[in-house]
Amino acid sequence: MEELALTFTADRPPFAEIYDAVSEQLLLLIFKARKLALDPAWHGWFAEQHRLLGILCAKKEQLAEIYKHDSYVIGEKEKPVDDVLYALILMRRLFNGFDNNQVSIKTWGQINKQPESWHGRFSHSLMAESAFINDELIEILIKAKAGSEPIPAEVRQGYCHQDLSIAWSRADLLIEKLNAWFAIDPLTLLSEAVFQLVYLYRNQRPALPDWLSRFGGVHIYNPVPTISDNPGFTEINKILKQHKRQFIRDVQSNADEREAEHLLDLYRNAAAKHVCDWLWEIMAYLKTPQWMPFLWKLCTVIPPADANKEENDAQPWNDDYCQITILRENLLELIQKNSLGEATRFLSDCLMRIYRNAAANKAQGLPASISDEEKKGYTSNHYLFTPPRELARERDAESVMGFEKWYQQNKVLLTSHNVKRTEKVSVEAWLAGLKCFDLKRGIPNGDAMKIKDGVYEKIKNDKNLKMPKGTSPNSLQRYHNRVKEVISARIDTLIEQQQTSNQLAPYSGARDAFKPLWEKSPIRSPDRTDKEQQISDPSDLFTQ
């Protein structure tokens, strides 16, 4: 009960380490992008992508018209136009071309191929997109002189081109999304947990237990599409806003240990859902995290009854058996990517879905006959195996806790290396130093400022920087010097240090697991063909 009280009264949500863990990954990425972009060898590439992103962002209304028609989902709230996300729909293929060691404009030439026919849900967007590419994009690319060579993989240290480009051009946007962490409201999380518990009890019991009685008059309906859209959630939130402390005392005094633990689990799962939503808001601007796909096949096999003994001896079993198969190469990759645990857990869920009725019948003494579903067989990517919402929330919590653990074992930036000064190296200090670094160098637009122009005042007034009141100019200068040192001399070593540490405590390669941002690209560059290397005039690529 003490853990429950501490959790429910905290001013921040559970998973206290996840903010620092995600912040460190973004800071390492942003620092690496600045080191490369300030290098004359690669500055042209970053400048080119920055110009192109700006041109496409200016066409956000036109791009919104292309992509919005086929993306509507019933019950989904309409979102405001995001110029960067719309621009990235087109630019992602450019960045993928760079990751494959292709000159950017050649990548665009390759996507400028119309299919023979248009079918399916997204046909409108595909036709409109093709028209935009033919009518405008090719001219934009040539005008922007989009012909830079890709950055070699060994120079990028595992980062992909898209992430580096966005970290250079839109670091302020990434930091704004990072700052949304502080908008996660513990009262909202508790309201969601209570909503789910009351909904569950209403469907299983004639009356609510005493410690939930204050919510007896709340009308609760099936929480679809989201809990926060349900009027019952609003009522619960209002009650808890007025009586939160008393409610916590009621839980401690009147709920049994099982009920309290259930409420605590629901609270953690609600927090994990909000944390994942927060993270995906950041990741929307970066390349989709890599994960190791897998495919299981399973079915029940019935040996033929009239087979002779020699034939039966050749069978794996002489009785009905469940056959589970996976490609050997897929299995080896799962082991290599630290993904086998997730793959086998998912297989367990699939087996439960197919065989649970037979197991229930057997437990009751009834015939556990083989169903047509068993004999038919399934692959693990079948829609039948989509996890229910509550299981999905539990997996969210596992993902958050897993990355917190990985961060504790592999962190390299949010630790103090200065033996002369005892000082916590906080996210806020790094972000303030980064802001100072960017303002003094005019990153990314070239509008550099001097200290006398009000650099420190601008930092103090930045709503996305959680600087303590009274932070002195000397402190800000120290933060700037620390960032400058890392970018100029230490960032490559820090990344290598984390990659080396990861070999002893590797990140999870599971589908929904959080992963370090340097894992999206191979360390070595693939070879390009002689024809690609001989191209000198970018405009020639459209006539070849």
Side-chain angles (χ1 to χ4, degrees), residues 95-163:
F95 292 126
N96 288 338
F98 281 128
D99 289 344
N100 292 323
N101 209 28
Q102 296 172 327
V103 178
S104 63
I105 205 164
K106 180 172 179 62
T107 305
W108 288 115
Q110 289 175 339
I111 71 170
N112 185 32
K113 296 178 181 179
Q114 298 186 23
E116 296 179 359
S117 59
W118 306 93
H119 298 291
R121 174 183 170 190
F122 300 102
S123 59
H124 173 88
S125 292
L126 291 172
M127 288 189 293
E129 179 189 69
S130 179
F132 179 81
I133 291 173
N134 282 293
D135 298 341
E136 298 190 46
L137 185 57
I138 302 303
E139 182 179 350
I140 289 173
L141 290 167
I142 295 176
K143 186 176 180 181
K145 299 179 181 180
S148 291
E149 293 285 325
I151 304 172
E154 52 270 20
V155 175
R156 290 182 278 117
Q157 291 185 288
Y159 288 107
C160 64
H161 285 84
Q162 176 177 332
D163 291 8

Side-chain angles (χ1 to χ4, degrees), residues 299-302 370-377:
C299 69
T300 296
V301 178
I302 306 173
I370 299 175
S371 66
D372 292 338
E373 191 177 52
E374 288 184 45
K375 290 184 288 187
K376 175 183 176 181

